Amino acid sequence: MTELPAYRAQIEPAWIDFNGHLRDAFYGLVASFAVDEVMDHLGLDAAYRERTRCTLYTLEEHLNFLHEVKSSDDLSVTTLILNFDAKRIQIGCRFLCSRLGDSVATAEMLLLHVHQGEKPTVAPFPDAVIAKLEAFKVTPDVRAAFVPSSRQIELKRR
Amino acid sequence: MTELPAYRAQIEPAWIDFNGHLRDAFYGLVASFAVDEVMDHLGLDAAYRERTRCTLYTLEEHLNFLHEVKSSDDLSVTTLILNFDAKRIQIGCRFLCSRLGDSVATAEMLLLHVHQGEKPTVAPFPDAVIAKLEAFKVTPDVRAAFVPSSRQIELKRR
C-alpha cells in the first residue's frame, strides 16, 4: 500500500459563513480539488482525459463535520482509496488542521469511470489504472476504521 | 403541512469543471444557500441569531448526483423538513432543472441548534421555532419516498 500525497487547501475569506466558520459546502469543494489531484496520481489526468474522453463522475458523497474550521486555520486533506472495482472507486478524505489534533471532517465519495461520447457511458478502467488503484488501496483495517463516517442520516434518540 | 418556497440558484461559470458539468461541490453550495433561506422561514434569521447567539451547525450531509447539470441549465432546490427533535433538524433537498423532468440530485443534511458562547453548546429550539418545524414537517409517506437517497456508500456487486 502506497500513500497518496496530502492536498493542501488555502481557505478563502468568502468560504467563511455567518457562523464565523468554514461553510459546509467548502469542505466539499476542498474534497473535490483533492480528488482532482488523486486523478493525476492514478493516471486519469488531463492528457488521459483528452486522449480517451474518459473521466470520473461523482455518484455520491457523504460528509461528516466534526470540528469548526476558522479563517486563520490551515486545512489539508489526506485521501484513501477505500475500495474499487472495474469501473468505480470508493474514496475517503480526512480533513486535518494543525490547531486541532483530530480529523475536523471526513468525506466519502463514490466515483464512476465514464466515457464522454454523445451520451456518457460507463467504461472499465484500463489495466494501468487498475494497477495503480491496487497499489494505493488501503488495507482492510484502515478501511474499517474509516467506514463509520458513512452512517445513514437519521434522528436516533440519545 | 406547509411547503417551503423553492430556492433558485444562478449557476456561475466557475462552477463548471473539466467534465463540462456542474462540479459536485457546488450542488452542496446551492443546498447550503437553500438552507440559509429555510432558516429565515423558520425564524432562525439574522435578527434571531444576533439576539440569541444561537444558529444551526451542519453535522452531516449526503449528496446523490443523478443527472449532469450544464452551465446553460436553470437550477432550483425544494427543501423538506424530514424530521426534527428538540435541537436537531433532518432536512432533504431535491435539485431540479427544467430541461430534465426528474430530480438531478438530492441532498440530506443533519443540522444542530447551537449557542455560540465561549464554546459552542447544544441548545433546544424555542417554542416558536418548534411550531414552525411542526407546520413544515412532511408527512411520513413523503419522508419515506425521500429516504433511499441516504444509503451507505459501498461497492455492491451489480
Side-chain angles (χ1 to χ4, degrees):
Chain A
M1 166 193 159
T2 315
E3 270 190 36
L4 286 159
Y7 172 79
R8 286 178 204 292
Q10 187 69 45
I11 296 174
E12 297 185 16
W15 296 2
I16 304 298
D17 68 10
F18 51 74
N19 288 336
H21 62 205
L22 186 61
R23 182 183 278 273
D24 48 14
F26 291 106
Y27 292 84
L29 186 61
V30 169
S32 190
F33 290 149
V35 167
D36 290 354
E37 281 203 359
V38 170
M39 290 180 74
D40 292 345
H41 294 299
L42 293 174
L44 302 169
D45 56 9
Y48 171 88
R49 296 193 297 264
E50 195 173 344
R51 190 173 70 247
T52 63
R53 301 184 68 188
C54 288
T55 185
L56 295 181
Y57 281 18
T58 309
L59 297 182
E60 270 189 78
E61 181 169 10
H62 293 189
L63 291 148
N64 281 262
F65 306 96
L66 306 170
H67 293 286
E68 291 183 276
V69 171
K70 304 290 189 176
S71 61
S72 56
D73 280 325
D74 56 83
L75 187 62
S76 66
V77 177
T78 58
T79 43
L80 305 171
I81 304 298
L82 296 175
N83 208 349
F84 68 93
D85 65 13
K87 43 195 187 265
R88 293 178 299 169
I89 306 171
Q90 183 183 357
I91 203 163
C93 300
R94 278 190 203 286
F95 296 76
L96 302 162
C97 95
S98 55
R99 181 174 55 87
L100 299 149
D102 219 357
S103 294
V104 294
T106 62
E108 241 183 298
M109 276 182 260
L110 190 59
L111 307 167
L112 179 69
H113 190 239
V114 167
H115 178 260
Q116 293 190 307
E118 204 170 318
K119 280 180 116 178
T121 51
V122 179
F125 292 116
D127 290 346
V129 173
I130 291 285
K132 289 199 177 175
L133 284 167
E134 198 58 67
F136 286 121
K137 185 181 170 183
V138 298
T139 55
D141 56 316
V142 171
R143 184 177 170 225
F146 190 89
V147 164
S149 76
S150 99
R151 72 188 188 280
Q152 192 164 322
I153 286 184
E154 57 184 333
L155 294 181
K156 283 189 199 130
R157 198 174 288 271
R158 300 196 283 198
Chain B
M1 167 192 158
T2 315
E3 269 188 38
L4 286 158
Y7 173 78
R8 287 179 204 292
Q10 187 69 45
I11 296 174
E12 295 185 16
W15 295 3
I16 304 299
D17 67 10
F18 51 74
N19 289 337
H21 62 204
L22 186 61
R23 184 183 277 273
D24 49 14
F26 291 106
Y27 292 83
L29 186 59
V30 169
S32 190
F33 290 149
V35 168
D36 290 354
E37 281 204 357
V38 169
M39 289 179 74
D40 291 346
H41 294 299
L42 293 174
L44 302 168
D45 55 10
Y48 171 88
R49 297 193 297 266
E50 195 173 344
R51 189 174 70 245
T52 64
R53 300 184 69 187
C54 288
T55 186
L56 294 181
Y57 280 19
T58 308
L59 296 183
E60 270 190 79
E61 181 168 10
H62 293 189
L63 291 148
N64 280 262
F65 306 96
L66 306 170
H67 293 285
E68 290 184 276
V69 172
K70 305 291 188 175
S71 61
S72 56
D73 282 324
D74 55 84
L75 188 62
S76 65
V77 178
T78 58
T79 43
L80 305 171
I81 304 298
L82 297 175
N83 209 349
F84 69 92
D85 65 12
K87 43 195 187 264
R88 293 178 299 169
I89 305 172
Q90 183 183 356
I91 202 163
C93 300
R94 279 190 202 287
F95 295 77
L96 302 162
C97 94
S98 56
R99 182 173 56 85
L100 299 149
D102 219 357
S103 293
V104 294
T106 62
E108 240 182 300
M109 276 182 261
L110 190 59
L111 307 167
L112 180 68
H113 190 239
V114 166
H115 178 260
Q116 293 190 305
E118 204 170 316
K119 280 180 116 178
T121 51
V122 179
F125 292 117
D127 290 345
V129 173
I130 291 285
K132 290 198 176 173
L133 285 167
E134 198 58 67
F136 286 121
K137 185 181 171 182
V138 299
T139 55
D141 56 317
V142 172
R143 186 180 169 219
F146 189 88
V147 163
S149 75
S150 100
R151 72 189 188 280
Q152 192 164 321
I153 286 184
E154 57 185 331
L155 293 181
K156 281 191 200 128
R157 197 173 288 271
R158 297 195 287 197

